[in-house]
């Protein structure tokens, strides 16, 4: 088999999720009410995925996703289909700034392992067939560290957190190979947990471990997952501070985790949020090795449709290049446009305009 090395992430890239159109919202409602079948819902999803794939390619993006159109939430849809995990409705959702999320989460019910019939495998295969050779099909899944959020680990099944970590690592190693065998060459791990370790107060988590021990454990988990990955598989990580209906969950610069994660995480690229002051400055980027990961600066916001000032964006990229070489930098929105099915507060037209703007600005910076 001939291996083609993917040069991702790209100078103009995006995190993954896109706003769901009204007819998809309606189809999901009709399915929930028993008015249409699962097959009919999937047909609507497929038609909309074909449309947005065409649109992404039309505006010049080289990495193309399915917009996460077959998911309700960016993380739980993947997690609940692992063996030993179930989805459920807790009493409350997560606390974001000014809003509480829709109540849904996952919990461990048995020993964790990868399910070879995981539905996201077929979702990716269908996406890759739709994309063909026109662009690179990108798959996004939650980071293994999302399992360390409060309330997920069952301490009767996993009294030792190291045993818990060991099974998560193996499940994700099996998942990565399964996606690779399905043709995936660009995989992204979305990680709110690691970004949360930067926050003044830990979000979504309560632990008797010291924060430095949590940072060490999280790094060991993700690097354990990546150990021995195929050479021609590009894996990036997206560090997110929460993205729900245009709100965020917490703040905090990357300073606290930079000497560990930015210096030592074995990924090919970091998608980092830099759309406003809650992200801090670029100085933590100095920990990224010169021959290390690409850095995708999320200097555009997905939380509103307002187009950023081009010269200000160029100036910020120039500022970041003081710490990481320009040819090691890329640009993108700070997060997806719809991390959950609700979506952020902007129109689809504004979403496409912003993504097209990012492509255009990238050409002016890098040629």
């Amino acid at each position: 088999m001939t291996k083609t090395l993917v040069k991702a992430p790209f100078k103009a890239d995006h995190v993954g999720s896109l706003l769901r159109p009204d007819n998809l919202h309606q189809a999901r409602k009709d399915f929930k009410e028993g008015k249409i079948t699962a097959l009919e819902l999937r047909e609507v999803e497929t038609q909309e995925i074909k449309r947005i794939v065409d649109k992404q390619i039309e505006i010049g993006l080289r990495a193309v996703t399915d917009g996460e159109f077959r998911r309700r939430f960016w993380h739980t849809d993947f997690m609940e289909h692992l063996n030993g995990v179930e989805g459920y409705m807790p009493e409350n959702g997560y606390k974001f700034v000014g809003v509480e999320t829709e109540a849904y989460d996952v919990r461990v019910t048995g020993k964790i392992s990868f399910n070879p019939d995981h539905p996201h495998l077929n979702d990716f295969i269908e996406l890759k067939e739709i994309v063909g050779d026109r662009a690179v099909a990108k798959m996004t899944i939650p980071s293994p560290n999302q399992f360390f959020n409060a309330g997920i680990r069952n301490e009767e099944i996993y009294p030792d957190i190291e045993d818990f970590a060991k099974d998560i690592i193996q499940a994700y190693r099996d998942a990565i190979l399964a996606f690779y065998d399905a043709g995936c060459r660009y995989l992204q791990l979305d990680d709110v947990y690691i970004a949360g370790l930067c926050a003044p107060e830990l979000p979504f988590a309560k632990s008797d471990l010291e924060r430095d021990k949590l940072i060490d454990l999280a790094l060991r988990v993700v690097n354990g997952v990546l150990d021995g990955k195929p050479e021609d598989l590009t894996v990036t990580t997206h560090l997110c501070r929460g993205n729900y209906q245009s709100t965020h969950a917490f703040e905090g610069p990357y300073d606290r985790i930079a000497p560990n994660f930015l210096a030592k995480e074995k990924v090919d690229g970091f998608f980092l949020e830099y759309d406003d002051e809650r992200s801090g400055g670029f100085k933590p980027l100095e920990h990224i090795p010169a021959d290390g990961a690409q850095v995708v600066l999320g200097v555009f916001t997905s939380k509103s449709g307002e187009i950023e000032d081009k010269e200000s964006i160029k100036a910020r990229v120039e500022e970041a290049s003081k710490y990481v070489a320009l040819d090691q930098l890329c640009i993108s929105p700070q997060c997806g446009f719809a991390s959950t099915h609700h979506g952020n507060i902007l129109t689809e037209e504004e979403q496409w305009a912003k993504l097209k703007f990012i492509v255009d600005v990238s050409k002016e910076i890098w040629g």
Side-chain angles (χ1 to χ4, degrees):
M1 182 179 67
T2 301
K3 293 185 177 181
T4 303
L5 204 61
V6 175
K7 300 298 183 182
F10 299 102
K11 292 306 178 188
D13 216 311
H14 68 126
V15 171
S17 65
L18 298 167
L19 295 171
R20 278 60 155 181
D22 290 341
N23 64 323
L24 182 51
H25 285 302
Q26 186 62 49
R28 287 200 176 279
K29 181 175 182 292
D30 290 345
F31 173 69
K32 187 176 181 180
E33 295 174 355
K35 296 178 181 178
I36 62 173
T37 65
L39 180 59
E40 289 172 321
L41 170 59
R42 192 167 186 90
E43 289 174 350
V44 174
E45 292 170 347
T46 299
Q47 287 305 119
E48 288 302 323
I49 289 170
K50 288 179 178 178
R51 180 180 66 85
I52 62 166
V53 163
D54 289 346
K55 187 65 177 179
Q56 289 170 80
I57 294 170
E58 174 191 325
I59 64 176
L61 289 168
R62 298 179 64 191
V64 173
T65 75
D66 65 2
E68 301 180 4
F69 276 18
R70 302 198 195 276
R71 308 184 206 180
R72 293 178 61 249
F73 292 85
W74 64 276
H75 58 324
T76 54
D77 292 55
F78 178 86
M79 297 166 76
E80 68 186 354
H81 285 104
L82 296 179
N83 296 327
V85 184
E86 70 173 7
Y88 77 106
M89 294 185 66
E91 291 185 8
N92 302 106
Y94 288 121
K95 300 291 185 182
F96 275 55
V97 175
V99 66
E100 181 177 305
T101 70
E102 180 181 339
Y104 197 79
D105 208 343
V106 297
R107 58 191 173 195
V108 172
T109 59
K111 290 292 185 177
I112 295 176
S113 64
F114 182 67
N115 172 14
D117 295 320
H118 197 294
H120 285 196
L121 286 172
N122 190 56
D123 292 347
F124 176 78
I125 290 170
E126 292 191 13
L127 170 65
K128 195 169 188 303
E129 290 174 350
I130 292 170
V131 175
D133 61 1
R134 297 180 294 164
V136 175
K138 175 181 177 179
M139 183 66 188
T140 63
I141 63 175
S143 164
N145 285 311
Q146 292 303 126
F147 277 95
F148 293 91
N149 279 337
I152 295 180
R153 174 167 67 108
N154 186 321
E155 295 188 11
E156 292 184 0
I157 298 171
Y158 286 107
D160 186 339
I161 197 169
E162 292 291 342
D163 290 338
F164 184 52
K166 181 180 177 181
D167 281 358
I168 291 171
I169 288 171
Q170 188 58 54
Y172 266 77
R173 291 187 72 173
D174 293 342
I176 285 176
L177 290 179
F179 280 112
Y180 182 84
D181 290 342
C184 180
R185 296 296 181 270
Y186 187 5
L187 180 70
Q188 178 176 292
L189 304 176
D190 292 320
D191 207 320
V192 174
Y193 180 83
I194 290 178
L197 295 176
C198 300
E201 296 183 10
L202 294 178
F204 315 146
K206 293 180 180 178
S207 174
D208 56 0
L209 293 177
E210 297 174 7
R211 189 181 306 221
D212 287 343
K213 291 182 179 179
L214 292 175
I215 292 173
D216 174 72
L217 176 62
L219 180 63
R220 285 192 287 114
V221 166
V222 72
N223 278 348
V225 166
L226 296 174
D227 188 32
K229 79 171 179 66
E231 289 185 8
D232 61 331
L233 173 64
T234 293
V235 178
T236 60
T237 188
H238 168 230
L239 302 187
C240 174
R241 296 175 179 83
N243 186 48
Y244 183 81
Q245 293 184 298
S246 293
T247 64
H248 64 276
F250 55 90
E251 302 177 359
Y254 295 114
D255 300 68
R256 186 148 193 175
I257 64 167
N260 292 287
F261 281 99
L262 297 189
K264 301 174 184 178
E265 190 173 3
K266 298 176 183 177
V267 290
D268 300 295
F270 291 101
F271 280 76
L272 302 177
E273 292 194 321
Y274 276 113
D275 60 323
D276 61 22
E277 64 281 351
R278 65 196 169 88
S279 305
F282 292 127
K283 195 173 189 303
L285 302 182
E286 68 185 6
H287 291 278
I288 296 176
D291 60 348
Q294 294 281 298
V295 180
V296 188
L297 301 172
V299 288
F300 302 83
T301 186
S302 68
K303 297 181 185 294
S304 79
E306 182 179 355
I307 296 292
E308 287 79 2
D309 177 74
K310 182 169 60 176
E311 297 308 316
S312 295
I313 293 294
K314 288 182 177 181
R316 297 202 71 199
V317 172
E318 182 178 359
E319 180 185 355
S321 70
K322 297 175 183 177
Y323 304 100
V324 178
L326 183 62
D327 63 1
Q328 201 173 338
L329 297 174
C330 311
I331 53 176
S332 78
Q334 102 292 345
C335 195
F337 290 89
S339 299
T340 70
H341 64 94
H342 313 84
N344 285 345
I345 303 172
L346 72 164
T347 67
E348 187 172 330
E349 291 75 16
E350 290 172 328
Q351 166 190 267
W352 295 125
K354 180 155 294 197
L355 288 172
K356 177 65 164 60
F357 182 61
I358 293 171
V359 172
D360 293 342
V361 172
S362 74
K363 291 177 180 177
E364 291 193 21
I365 295 174
W366 288 281

